[in-house]
Amino acid sequence: MKTLEQRLQEIKIVPVIAINDVAHAVPLAKVLVENGLPCAEVTFRTDAAAESIRLMREAYPELLIGAGTVLNSQQVDTAIEVGVDFIVSPGLNPTTVKYCQQRNIAIVPGVNNPSLVEQAMEMGLKTLKFFPAEPSGGVPMLKALSAVYPVRFMPTGGVSPSNVDEYLSLGSVVACGGTWMVPTQMMDQGDWDGIAELVRALK
């Protein structure tokens, strides 16, 4: 059984997705799986998120699914109920981290400075989200953090086609999160062929 870190490292780029309409969930999952990116971080920023995850999980059991923008224990419970593989939060909330550990679900919380990395390590976490990546100093900041802390990072926030390779070249980066290959506007227009092209361009 592969660890979450191993699966993320194989995938390299995690699509961070805001779904406005549950009808888009399965077509989107189909595009991701069939075009070589079997992963989705569905953010809890929309009302459609939980039901979308449930439908994606039913249709594609092999899909690696994370719930993003998880801010509290209630959202953790909801995410687990609909079948996620892991939890992602924008910041490091010790209460949420401990609750995920009690529920035996992996969490990748957001950090962007040494103090937060140390707090995360204190709680036994080894894979962390570097967020917001670009506003927090980008690659130079990650290099500085990686020089002193034995953890792996998933940079998200400002990661784009122009800088993703630079992030992925760092040994401490397990994967990058991004939105550019799954634009909400294209989903709302039902442009699945267009999204498929963007996904294929990642290879």
Side-chain angles (χ1 to χ4, degrees):
M1 190 76 173
K2 291 177 181 172
T3 65
L4 174 62
E5 187 177 303
Q6 287 169 331
R7 293 183 73 183
L8 289 173
Q9 194 154 7
E10 286 176 358
I11 289 162
K12 290 191 173 58
I13 297 177
V14 176
V16 179
I17 305 160
I19 299 178
N20 291 323
D21 185 341
V22 293
H24 298 156
V26 174
L28 177 63
K30 182 175 189 285
V31 166
L32 294 172
V33 170
E34 291 184 354
N35 290 279
L37 192 62
C39 180
E41 179 192 322
V42 180
T43 70
F44 268 33
R45 294 198 297 261
T46 72
D47 293 336
E51 181 64 8
S52 294
I53 291 170
R54 189 182 68 76
L55 293 170
M56 293 166 95
R57 169 58 68 223
E58 284 179 1
Y60 293 94
E62 72 275 24
L63 193 65
L64 179 65
I65 305 177
T69 323
V70 171
L71 303 177
N72 54 52
S73 303
Q74 289 84 0
Q75 289 179 327
V76 173
D77 285 337
T78 300
I80 292 172
E81 281 167 22
V82 293
V84 299
D85 297 296
F86 64 105
I87 303 288
V88 183
S89 59
L92 181 69
N93 180 332
T95 302
T96 304
V97 170
K98 287 171 187 168
Y99 189 71
C100 285
Q101 291 171 332
Q102 288 169 9
R103 293 290 320 260
N104 200 29
I105 184 95
I107 180 169
V108 183
V111 300
N112 70 346
N113 65 53
S115 297
L116 291 172
V117 174
E118 291 192 20
Q119 286 182 50
M121 289 174 63
E122 187 74 16
M123 288 184 277
L125 300 173
K126 295 185 173 66
T127 305
L128 307 172
K129 175 177 176 172
F130 180 54
F131 179 82
E134 282 292 290
S136 300
V139 170
M141 180 63 162
L142 259 188
K143 285 180 177 175
L145 292 173
S146 303
V148 289
Y149 297 120
V151 296
R152 306 293 299 282
F153 294 99
M154 183 171 76
T156 308
V159 179
S160 69
S162 64
N163 60 22
V164 66
D165 288 340
E166 195 177 358
Y167 278 106
L168 289 173
S169 71
L170 301 180
S172 61
V173 169
V174 64
C176 287
T179 58
W180 75 88
M181 79 300 296
V182 283
T184 301
Q185 187 178 0
M186 287 175 78
M187 272 189 277
D188 290 343
Q189 292 167 351
D191 186 4
W192 306 115
D193 290 341
I195 293 173
E197 275 184 43
L198 292 172
V199 171
R200 282 197 300 273
L202 300 173
K203 299 301 174 190

